[in-house]
Amino acid sequence: MKIICVGKNYTDHIKEFDGVIPKEMVLFMKPDTALHNLEIPYYIPDFTHNLHHEIEVVLKINQNGKCIAEKYAHKYYDEIALGIDFTARDLQQTLREESLSWEKAKAFDGSAIVGTFVPKTELPELNHLSFRLENNGKTVQAGNTENMLWHFSQIIAEASRYFTLRKGDLIFTGTPKGVAQVQAGDTLEAFLEEKSNFKIKIR
């Protein structure tokens, strides 16, 4: 299993990040060791002093595929969840300044949270899904898939040009504005269409 992530897919987040709208889809990957077990608390890694949450809609691939046509891409996922792409922002900034790759800041062990998958047939229009992240009961990020630069089928088609998709792979589809630091003692809870999708305590 691998995790494919889309960067800079919401204009409002791009504005708070660097303001540069990409001409092509930004893709990066996380290994399977990035996936955190929700049954245990989350401990902030010792190599960062500025860990940021990034709430995202996550697709689970249901069959193998390569160079998938956009018109068929909807057949390659049946379930949707929410997830957090944890980012060591201080480390990322250092790597960017030195023109180095982001893996240490984005793909470290435990850098991915994934909630409970919901059949897409139980959800409303997929291009208009609302989702949000609360920190200690206060909404810190809120988004809607209608505001994505690239939508689900486009993401699957583009990603499969470069990476063979396999059953069980996860695709993180980008984060809206509001990314911010998490602290020990925080409780993060994600809501998909107003239903809680996961909850985790930060230590």
Side-chain angles (χ1 to χ4, degrees):
M1 185 273 288
K2 59 183 174 291
I3 302 170
I4 299 172
C5 304
V6 182
K8 304 177 75 170
N9 201 24
Y10 286 81
T11 304
D12 55 3
H13 171 58
I14 293 171
K15 291 178 180 177
E16 71 178 357
F17 186 61
D18 62 13
V20 180
I21 296 177
K23 295 180 180 178
E24 296 185 14
M25 193 180 301
V26 178
L27 297 173
F28 63 94
M29 299 178 71
K30 295 175 183 273
D32 57 1
T33 53
L35 194 60
H36 177 75
N37 182 355
L38 277 173
E39 294 181 356
I40 60 177
Y42 191 92
Y43 290 87
I44 297 175
D46 61 6
F47 51 77
T48 180
H49 299 289
N50 192 15
L51 184 71
H52 278 203
H53 57 70
E54 299 186 12
I55 189 69
E56 310 198 13
V57 175
V58 181
L59 312 179
K60 182 191 286 187
I61 298 300
N62 62 13
Q63 59 182 305
N64 297 352
K66 174 68 176 174
C67 294
I68 300 164
E70 187 177 324
K71 65 181 179 180
Y72 299 124
H74 66 281
K75 298 181 179 181
Y76 284 79
Y77 69 100
D78 295 322
E79 298 175 292
I80 292 174
L82 293 181
I84 293 179
D85 166 20
F86 276 124
T87 303
R89 193 69 72 198
D90 47 355
L91 181 55
Q92 184 190 40
Q93 183 62 33
T94 298
L95 294 169
R96 291 182 70 208
E97 290 172 354
E98 299 179 8
S99 299
L100 299 175
S101 62
W102 295 358
E103 274 81 2
K104 289 193 291 185
K106 281 282 196 180
F108 55 87
D109 289 354
S111 60
I113 300 289
V114 178
T116 302
F117 279 93
V118 179
K120 66 182 183 182
T121 54
E122 296 181 7
L123 296 168
E125 172 56 47
L126 299 184
N127 287 333
H128 299 280
L129 289 178
S130 64
F131 59 100
R132 73 180 193 273
L133 180 69
E134 292 186 358
N135 188 354
N136 298 327
K138 179 182 178 181
T139 297
V140 289
Q141 284 189 269
N144 192 295
T145 55
E146 67 182 0
N147 296 318
M148 300 169 78
L149 295 178
W150 290 281
H151 290 274
F152 299 157
S153 290
Q154 292 171 299
I155 293 170
I156 289 172
E158 179 71 0
S160 70
R161 289 180 62 198
Y162 304 96
F163 318 112
T164 296
L165 301 183
R166 299 195 183 281
K167 184 177 181 179
D169 285 351
L170 304 178
I171 298 181
F172 278 59
T173 60
T175 193
K177 69 177 180 179
V179 301
Q181 186 176 6
V182 296
Q183 307 277 1
D186 287 347
T187 297
L188 302 177
E189 185 169 11
F191 294 83
L192 177 61
E193 288 291 316
E194 300 304 320
K195 293 183 178 180
S196 180
N197 192 253
F198 69 82
K199 187 175 184 178
I200 189 163
K201 183 79 171 179
I202 306 297
R203 297 283 176 86

